[in-house]
């Protein structure tokens, strides 16, 4: 019998009648995966996070054990005492109240007990589930429950709650559950431990380098050959666990941007596996949604932080002022992605983009270092154009023309040396170079003049916005460029930070270009070049492009624009 | 073991690496002048032309090695070691240069951009080359032609030196006059080509 099946069988032995206080059982004898390091890592992580942060991992564990998550609520005023509702393979309903921190007697009486009363007495209120359905209630905490609290719960289970006794899950249990998720990958050598430790103990205030995150997930979950479906399922669960472990130090510091970057890499890994193995929805969509909702939640928290705090608070010291531009750029990039995602998903919060007062926080947040700098602005212009924001038509055109002119001035034929880096140099790499004063020896300095990965996308936007006069004027300069593009061996490779195989292709622009043909090409793109998962969840595209700016190309931009336009028509 | 100084070694490796690369580029003049592009991912470079033709280049590996016998090791100084490194670098540079010349020769043969009928380098040959090559002008200014670099084999260097020393003032002036006439024509072609770049309906 497989380990997971044994665990499931044990879980389903929970009874309710005449129940003593019972835990959500895990037979630790069967759980042969006990890696002291992973155990410590999970313990440390659980110690630093609140219930909102371990909730996605808890849900993932439930799913790995055959549960269907019906509801997973975070940060809501609607209080029915249930954070998570699930149904197991035997159609038993489970309702969980998640808490962070130790449950002392005072806390139990003041805060938790009233919620548990609602949990147990309130019944399940969920579409499709009859209100009077039986269910198993749980109190879950990432810390401990005080002995005197347990006594009270025991007493209540014997009397008031005897028909539906409360089960408890504490940090030791959560540790065991989450350890079982790490089966997808356990460090085998000291080098692997070191890799994981470095990722988990990074300075939480820093802008995270996505390269090592990708390498860790790619080496341990993507590259390894899968033999059975269950292995893929476990790997996806492990991705969810490890992404959350790696986010720990950043979450502690409320470093939303770095958390979002890690989540984007995690989501990319899951989507890659989903498409690569043509997984059924039940095998991956739930996990994708867990990480997606976390990412959206953190994006909104960033938005709130930006609007709530003053400039002085955000940039208190001299070094902060000096680094203000790249930091604002990093923040704006996330916000533009958030707004596009909200618009595509029908979340009315996107309407803040119409508000001049809201936009003032993001004006002048452009920082130029490479072609990658332009990606968030292009996305922002795309949204503003699709929603036809008031007074935006002219400013959109001016903005995209300014970007094009900057590109010509930086990499054009009249330039002696390139003044911006190619698109592959992201903000992390750039700031590293600036800080270490790393001067490449002259002979090795890259010369990316008249080569551009982003020019095709810029031309696309210029045509869309009707900048014919500008293009006519600048075509002499623009047409000297060669358009660069990475050609994937497989369309799913877009989800990878780097690919070992594939072709970097350059092609010239036409010296004589028909405006009509440019217009006709606006809507023409090859859908086969877009992974199925991305067609299904286009709201992930802006986040993918902001974290992996080198993935922008005309195909993805046209696809995103088509989605924005379709949504705009409905709106 | 006897304790090592790993960080110092790492720094030394870095310094040696730089020295090797400098030696390589010194012996690969054409390569050192060529445009450097970094490959961030993938294993192929493709290039398409306006006529639709395209080709793919796979990346080539260059390698050289040095060996130091145990007898040599006894008396090896840092200068000796660096000399070996520089020799190795120079050989690698030679390989890079050779590879580049092969690629150029293939390309030139395909394009037919060859001048014939000259046994050796001469003023006539230089003028004919200038006639055939596309020439850009800095800031589109006739007075600032971006002249191509001339790469010759080592055996041609004394020939060119002799040619220049033997040239009289009148011959030099006539050469310049004829070259300028070619550059005038080139500039006209250049400006015509620029004006031809446009957006049409």
């Amino acid at each position: 019998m497989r380990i997971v099946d044994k665990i499931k069988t044990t879980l389903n032995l929970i009874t309710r009648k005449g129940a003593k206080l019972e835990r959500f059982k895990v037979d630790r004898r069967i759980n042969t995966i006990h890696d002291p390091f992973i155990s410590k890592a999970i313990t440390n992580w659980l110690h630093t996070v609140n219930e909102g942060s371990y909730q996605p991992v808890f849900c993932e564990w439930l799913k790995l054990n055959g549960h269907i998550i019906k509801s997973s609520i975070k940060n809501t005023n609607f209080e029915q005492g249930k954070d998570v509702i699930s149904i197991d393979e035997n159609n038993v309903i489970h309702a969980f109240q998640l808490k962070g921190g130790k449950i002392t007697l005072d806390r139990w009486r003041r805060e938790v007990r009233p919620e548990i009363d609602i949990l147990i007495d309130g019944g399940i209120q969920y579409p499709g589930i009859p209100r009077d359905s039986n269910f198993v209630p749980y109190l879950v905490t990432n810390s401990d429950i005080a002995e005197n609290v347990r006594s009270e719960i025991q007493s209540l289970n014997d009397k008031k709650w005897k028909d539906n006794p409360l089960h408890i899950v504490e940090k030791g249990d959560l540790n065991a559950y989450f350890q079982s998720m790490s089966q997808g990958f356990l460090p085998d050598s000291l080098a692997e431990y070191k890799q994981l430790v470095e990722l988990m103990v990074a300075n939480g205030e820093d802008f995270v380098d996505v390269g090592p995150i990708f390498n860790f997930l790619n080496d341990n979950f993507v590259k390894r050959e899968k033999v059975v479906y269950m292995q893929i399922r476990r790997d996806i669960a492990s991705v969810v666990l490890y992404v959350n472990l790696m986010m720990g130090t950043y979450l502690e510091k409320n470093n939303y941007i770095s958390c979002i970057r890690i989540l984007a890499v995690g989501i990319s890994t899951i989507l890659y596996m989903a498409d690569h193995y043509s997984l059924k929805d039940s095998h991956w969509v739930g996990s994708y949604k867990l990480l997606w909702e976390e990412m959206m939640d953190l994006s909104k928290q960033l938005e709130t932080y930006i609007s709530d705090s003053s400039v002085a608070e955000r940039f208190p010291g001299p070094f902060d002022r000096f680094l203000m531009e790249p930091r604002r750029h990093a923040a704006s990039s996330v916000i533009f992605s958030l707004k596009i995602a909200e618009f595509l998903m029908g979340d009315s919060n996107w309407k803040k983009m119409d508000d001049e007062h809201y936009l003032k926080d993001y004006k002048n947040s452009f920082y130029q270092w490479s072609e990658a700098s332009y990606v968030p602005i292009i996305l922002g212009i795309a949204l503003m154009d699709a929603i036809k924001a008031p007074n935006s038509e002219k400013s959109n055109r001016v903005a995209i023309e300014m970007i094009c002119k900057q590109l010509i001035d930086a990499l054009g034929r009249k330039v002696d040396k390139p003044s911006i880096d190619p698109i592959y140099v992201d903000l992390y790499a750039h700031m590293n170079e600036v800080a270490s004063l790393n001067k490449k020896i002259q002979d090795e300095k890259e010369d990316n003049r008249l080569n551009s990965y982003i020019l095709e996308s810029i031309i696309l936007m210029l045509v869309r916005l009707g900048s014919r006069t500008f293009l006519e004027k600048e075509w002499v300069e623009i047409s000297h460029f060669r358009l660069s593009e990475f050609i994937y061996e497989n369309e799913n490779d877009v989800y990878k930070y780097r690919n070992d195989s594939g072709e970097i292709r350059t092609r010239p622009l036409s010296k004589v270009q028909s405006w009509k043909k440019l217009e006709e090409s606006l809507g023409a793109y090859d859908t086969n070049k877009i992974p199925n998962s991305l067609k299904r969840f286009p709201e992930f595209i802006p986040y993918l492009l902001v974290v992996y700016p080198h993935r922008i190309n005309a195909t993805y931009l046209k696809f995103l624009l088509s989605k924005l336009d379709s949504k705009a028509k409905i709106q | 073991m006897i304790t090592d100084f790993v960080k110092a070694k790492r720094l030394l490796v870095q310094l040696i690496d730089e020295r090797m690369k400098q030696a390589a580029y010194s012996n690969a003049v054409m390569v050192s002048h060529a445009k450097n592009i970094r490959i961030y991912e993938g294993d192929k470079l493709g290039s398409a032309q306006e006529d639709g033709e395209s080709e793919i280049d796979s990346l080539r590996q260059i390698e050289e090695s040095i060996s130091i016998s145990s007898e040599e090791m006894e008396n090896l100084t840092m200068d000796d070691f660096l000399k070996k490194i520089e020799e190795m670098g120079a050989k690698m540079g030679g390989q890079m240069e050779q590879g580049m010349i092969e690629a150029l020769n293939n390309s030139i043969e395909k394009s037919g951009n060859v001048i014939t009928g000259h046994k050796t380098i001469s003023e006539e040959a230089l003028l004919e080359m200038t006639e055939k090559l596309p020439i850009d002008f800095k800031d589109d200014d006739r007075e600032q032609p971006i002249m191509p670099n001339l790469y010759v084999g080592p055996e041609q260097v004394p020939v060119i030196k002799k040619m220049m020393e033997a040239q009289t003032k009148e011959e030099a002036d006539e050469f310049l006059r004829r070259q300028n006439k070619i550059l005038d024509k080139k500039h006209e072609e250049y400006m015509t080509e620029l004006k031809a770049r446009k957006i049409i309906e």
Side-chain angles (χ1 to χ4, degrees), chain A residues 34-248:
Chain A
H34 178 72
D35 181 291
F37 167 74
I38 297 293
S39 173
K40 189 71 187 164
I42 292 171
T43 302
N44 282 345
W45 172 70
L46 280 171
H47 183 67
T48 60
V49 297
N50 61 23
E51 65 273 25
S53 302
Y54 74 77
Q55 184 169 331
V57 187
F58 183 69
C59 288
E60 185 66 22
W61 179 79
L62 287 171
K63 283 163 55 264
L64 188 62
N65 286 279
H67 286 234
I68 296 170
I69 307 296
K70 300 303 284 183
S71 170
S72 177
I73 299 170
K74 283 164 80 168
N75 303 326
T76 178
N77 289 328
F78 177 65
E79 186 56 70
Q80 53 162 318
K82 300 158 191 66
D83 291 319
V84 178
I85 301 171
S86 71
I87 300 180
D88 68 23
E89 286 176 335
N90 297 318
N91 283 324
V92 174
I93 302 171
H94 303 262
F96 304 89
Q97 171 70 238
L98 270 56
K99 287 290 167 199
K102 187 174 173 115
I103 314 283
T104 59
L105 189 63
D106 176 61
R107 191 179 173 203
W108 163 254
R109 286 180 177 164
R110 188 177 28 87
E111 174 202 329
V112 182
R113 166 75 195 272
E115 289 172 356
I116 298 298
D117 279 328
I118 298 173
L119 170 71
I120 292 175
D121 298 334
I124 299 289
Q125 291 169 49
Y126 191 83
I129 299 178
R131 207 190 158 108
D132 58 354
S133 297
N134 289 329
F135 65 95
V136 184
Y138 300 86
L139 170 61
V140 182
T141 177
N142 63 335
S143 182
D144 302 305
I145 296 176
E147 212 40 58
N148 44 18
V149 176
R150 288 170 198 252
S151 299
E152 271 207 21
I153 294 174
Q154 182 71 67
S155 174
L156 286 160
N157 277 348
D158 287 340
K159 294 170 190 158
K160 188 177 184 231
W161 296 336
K162 66 177 174 17
D163 291 332
N164 201 8
L166 181 70
H167 296 73
I168 61 172
V169 175
E170 295 175 273
K171 71 177 179 198
D173 304 309
L174 287 178
N175 197 309
Y177 304 161
F178 297 161
Q179 275 207 64
S180 72
M181 286 168 71
S182 68
Q183 286 180 57
F185 163 73
L186 282 172
D188 220 0
S189 66
L190 281 175
E192 285 175 344
Y193 275 110
K194 184 176 177 244
Q195 187 189 25
L196 186 54
V197 165
E198 279 171 355
L199 290 172
M200 289 179 61
V201 301
N203 184 329
E205 292 179 336
D206 209 357
F207 183 74
V208 71
D209 182 7
V210 292
I213 309 283
F214 163 78
N215 288 338
F216 176 81
L217 295 177
N218 191 53
D219 291 345
N220 298 305
F221 301 111
V222 173
K223 271 186 175 169
R224 288 183 318 157
E225 208 181 296
K226 317 292 179 193
V227 183
V228 293
Y229 147 69
M230 200 54 211
Q231 188 182 347
I232 306 170
R233 187 63 200 91
R234 263 202 312 268
D235 283 356
I236 289 178
S238 292
V239 166
V240 173
L241 171 68
Y242 281 106
V243 158
N244 275 275
L245 290 180
M246 288 189 279
M247 275 202 315

Side-chain angles (χ1 to χ4, degrees), chain A residues 12-45:
Chain A
N12 290 333
L13 288 174
I14 293 168
T15 57
R16 281 176 283 127
K17 275 201 175 169
K20 294 196 170 116
L21 183 63
E22 285 183 329
R23 291 162 184 264
F24 198 31
K25 280 185 186 166
V26 171
D27 185 343
R28 290 196 177 81
R29 288 170 305 164
I30 328 167
N31 185 2
T32 56
I33 309 299
H34 178 72
D35 181 291
F37 167 74
I38 297 293
S39 173
K40 189 71 187 164
I42 292 171
T43 302
N44 282 345
W45 172 70

Side-chain angles (χ1 to χ4, degrees), chain B residues 22-39:
Chain B
Q22 279 169 358
Y25 284 121
S26 297
N27 201 35
V29 176
M30 281 176 73
V31 171
S32 68
H33 288 163
K35 203 169 162 179
N36 267 339
I37 295 175
R38 183 174 161 183
I39 312 288

Side-chain angles (χ1 to χ4, degrees), chain B residues 1 22 28 40 68 75 89 95 97 120 138-139 149 157-158 177 179 189-190 195 199:
Chain B
M1 62 164 281
Q22 279 169 358
Y40 290 89
I68 303 170
N75 299 311
Q95 281 192 53
E97 193 95 307
T120 184
K138 191 169 160 43
D139 295 333
N149 291 324
V157 173
R177 187 193 67 78
Q179 190 186 52
E189 286 169 3
Y190 172 81
K195 282 175 189 152
I199 300 283

